[in-house]
Amino acid sequence: MNIERPLTQHLRPDGSPRFLREYVATGGYRSLQRFGTELAPKDVQRLVGESGLRGRGGGGFPTGTKWSFVPMGPDAPKPKYIVANGDEMEPGTFKDRVLMEGDPHGLIEGMILAGYALDAEVGYIFLRGEYHLSAQRLNQAIAEAYAEGYLGKPLPGTTFRFDLHLHSSAGRYICGEETALINALEGKRAVPRAKPPFPQTVGLWGQPTIVQNVETLYNIPHIINHGVEWYHRLSLTKDGGTKIYGISGRVTNPGWWELPLGTTARELLERHGGGMADGVRFRGLLPGGISTSFVIEEHLDLPLDFSSFPPDVGRLGTGTMIILDDQTCPVGFVLNLEKFFARESCGWCTPCREGLPWVAKLLMAFEEGRATSDDLSLLEMHTKWLAPGHTFCGLAPGAMAPLQSALKYFREDFERHITIGGCPWSKKSAQQRVLV
Amino acid sequence: MLTEIERRELEDAVKHYPEKRGAAIDALLTVQRHRGWISDESLLDIAQFLEITAEDLDSIATFYNLVFRKPVGRHVAFVCDSISCWIKGCEQVQEQIKNLYDVDLGQTTSDGRLTVLPIACLGHCERAPAMMIDQDVYGEVAPEKMKNIMDKYI
Ligand SMILES: Cc1cc2nc3c(=O)[nH]c(=O)nc-3n(C[C@H](O)[C@H](O)[C@H](O)COP(=O)(O)O)c2cc1C
Ligand code: SF4
Ligand code: FES
């Protein structure tokens, strides 16, 4: 089988959507015709487990393992829910949008398969409020799927029926955290919930709930149609499948590409991104959104997947990387990130609510030439105070990843701000930070 | 009081949830689409419909940056200020808007036509700097293109 880019091969280059007729013409919804004896729910579960599919929302958790915690059988609570996480607010990340805008039916089919596997009869697509185009196209696709009987009716050969609703949200990054998302869907203030219990057993309205990233769900129909071996062969490493990678920042050709999982950052940057833009040089990159650690030149040959990063180097995150160039101040860069995190903190727990604005103020002091070496140690202490386990959810530890790694790799730039009493890039940067 | 149309739309929204309050965001956004923003009076109307207290609903409304608890202009320009756009000059975009319309982030022009707000990454980072006007997204908004874009709205 010679499908190399299963998720995006049919997307139109101009970004216009494919609706039902075209989707079906290229094999869409074919998996549903095998429901019943040929493809039982436990087969879908098994195939997803054996495929080694790992969550594309940033965490890389094995999807099959997540599913295995869902109570099954006649005594399992009903209803169970499948939620697509389409909040995509991680700065630098734009991959789920590409899929939902171009091929909305792929998400619906992935959700029906997940629902069938777990005997979950209701689905929600949780979509960030700014994705108006995605909302429009998903709504049209959902209406088509209802009209065609893929939704809302027992599927041929089974007693299983799936209902699907689109929920457009109204901003706030924290809504992407799965338990905050559940509160948001219930019409409550979107602060995270304590875990355990995990949503797989106690989620939406107290019922078993699977929250899965949009890109993760798009993988499922292909795994079911083409099999586990094919899926493994797609990738260059032991994690199966492809990944939608992206690049933003000052490179020649920013954009997105579906490539084998395990492609290196160097190949992505040089072959696909066309290398650095004229007049700027590479200094480092965040591999997948701003909650990941900087990697530098010496890491560029690491495969971009979920198992190859040594823990002290970092993690892949969402796979859409942001490039730091030599004309951009690394301290100003990190200040921008920490201002985002401080603004988006939900305020529920003290270390994050108080700590992130403090970090932002400290970085501001560097930029404005008021920082001392004590401030450098204070920044360092925050990376420990807000480390995993010290806050209620992953937002604050995520905020510390780029800071801690910047202090490691760009320390002399922080120190230079102290010695010269200001930002070495300022003025110059104000003029040069124009479009390249 | 909710208008007939608003009530009908809200009744459709609550069908998607096992509890009425699940539709809180849908309801706030629906009423905002009709009235421009969520006044105290609107908040009461919606809370009554959802059978929750106004205080409860306000704790949700005030949480979300796309729910406006203050009046906004006829058009709202959201300027992305996240990292990829910052690298590519979102500060100059903000300055250019200020030069053209004499309005800072968070403010509305005196003629009530335009509100300018910062917004988190719009998911168009490959075409940074990005901005959204009402529901339309624009990428690679060089300051010199700003006037042309804005002329479609004001
Ligand atoms: C602050 C925060 C924001 C998050 N935002 C998103 C998001 O926008 N989209 C997403 O899929 N996952 C997001 N996640 C991860 C989710 O909590 C969850 O792990 C994910 O949706 C699971 O799906 P997956 O296993 O398919 O990746 C976020 C996590 C945190 C801590
Ligand atoms: S870490 Fe931050 S975002 Fe997460 S619960 Fe605490 S305050 Fe909220
Ligand atoms: S950072 Fe501006 S659109 Fe992503």
Side-chain angles (χ1 to χ4, degrees), chain B residues 53-70:
Chain B
T53 64
E55 290 76 8
D56 194 349
L57 186 63
D58 206 16
S59 80
I60 300 161
T62 53
F63 189 81
Y64 291 96
N65 54 300
L66 297 179
V67 174
F68 306 134
R69 284 290 275 117
K70 286 185 194 162

Side-chain angles (χ1 to χ4, degrees), chain A residues 93-111:
Chain A
T93 306
F94 46 93
K95 63 189 182 68
D96 299 339
R97 170 180 64 77
V98 169
L99 292 171
M100 294 185 290
E101 284 182 0
D103 222 358
H105 279 286
L107 180 58
I108 301 176
E109 185 177 357
M111 293 183 76

